[in-house]
Amino acid sequence: MRTTTRPTLLAVGAVATLALSLTACNDVSGTQDSGAAGTSASAAAPSGSTSASAPAAASASAAASAPSGGKTSTSGGGKTSSGTGGGGVTAACTTKNTSVAFLQSSGHASDAQPAAATLKITNSSGAPCTIVGPTTVVAADDQGKASPVSGDNSTAGSAAVDIPAGAAVVADVLYNDVNGEGTASARYTCAVQASHVKVALPKDAGTTVNVMKANGSPGGVFSVCGADFKVGAFAAR
């Protein structure tokens, strides 16, 4: 009896031990597989997320920068066009785009009023021009016996005056041409006897023109008794 029973118990114990070993192996294998799958999924998810967000960020950046660049280009073009093609700026009247005439007074000065010569500026260009600022006239004695005399319209009025193409403006030049200190024969002989004058428009070097008679014919004389004369404001006539 003892001999038969002992082998049988040993066999049963061996079977039980084998079963436990197989169960443990299955549990360990299952745990490793589960952990590997979770680790793989976790690693894959960030990779996929980064890949998907990069194009989206790039697209958003491109979309944000494109309108900005376009807007700047349009604004710059519009401003340049307005500045060069709007036609709002009128050229200054100078000796290059005008002609100048100076006519002596038609009568002598009296106790009631001075003599009045005429300064005429004609726009000889094909576009409007403007006079802004004082215009100066200088007269020198033909014989050089007296110092030059001058006058401008800074006091009479030198506001902007536009001259259309081909049009003209005039200003009175008021002066004294009567010599009260001389003899009767020298009554109308002044220290400055000028057959030409220099006329300088604002910010221009000026031009020298012959003095014309009151009717516009050559041979006029700008005879000035005194140290100066007055230039009036320009006006269309």
Side-chain angles (χ1 to χ4, degrees):
M1 290 295 291
R2 290 180 180 178
T3 303
T4 303
T5 301
R6 189 172 183 179
T8 301
L9 293 173
L10 292 173
V12 172
V15 171
T17 301
L18 179 61
L20 290 173
S21 299
L22 290 174
T23 301
C25 289
N26 288 337
D27 291 341
V28 172
S29 176
T31 302
Q32 290 176 346
D33 292 344
S34 176
T39 302
S40 176
S42 176
S47 175
S49 175
T50 302
S51 176
S53 63
S59 298
S61 176
S65 62
S68 176
K71 185 175 181 180
T72 301
S73 175
T74 301
S75 175
K79 186 175 181 180
T80 301
S81 175
S82 175
T84 57
V89 178
T90 303
C93 296
T94 66
T95 54
K96 294 182 179 179
N97 57 13
T98 63
S99 60
V100 179
F102 190 93
L103 288 73
Q104 72 176 53
S105 175
S106 58
H108 293 290
S110 66
D111 293 338
Q113 61 184 17
T118 301
L119 173 62
K120 182 178 181 181
I121 308 295
T122 302
N123 182 352
S124 56
S125 72
C129 71
T130 186
I131 301 175
V132 183
T135 295
T136 303
V137 178
V138 178
D141 180 57
D142 291 345
Q143 305 299 320
K145 295 180 179 180
S147 299
V149 292
S150 65
D152 62 47
N153 61 356
S154 58
T155 301
S158 55
V161 176
D162 293 330
I163 310 178
V169 293
V170 298
D172 291 330
V173 179
L174 306 180
Y175 63 105
N176 177 33
D177 65 344
V178 177
N179 184 1
E181 298 179 357
T183 62
S185 60
R187 183 173 176 80
Y188 300 114
T189 302
C190 298
V192 175
Q193 299 283 321
S195 60
H196 56 271
V197 295
K198 182 177 182 179
V199 179
L201 293 170
K203 299 180 181 179
D204 191 65
T207 183
T208 299
V209 296
N210 293 327
V211 177
M212 311 296 287
K213 292 182 178 180
N215 60 8
S217 60
V221 176
F222 186 39
S223 180
V224 183
C225 294
D228 58 11
F229 51 87
K230 297 180 180 180
V231 180
F234 284 108
R237 290 185 187 173

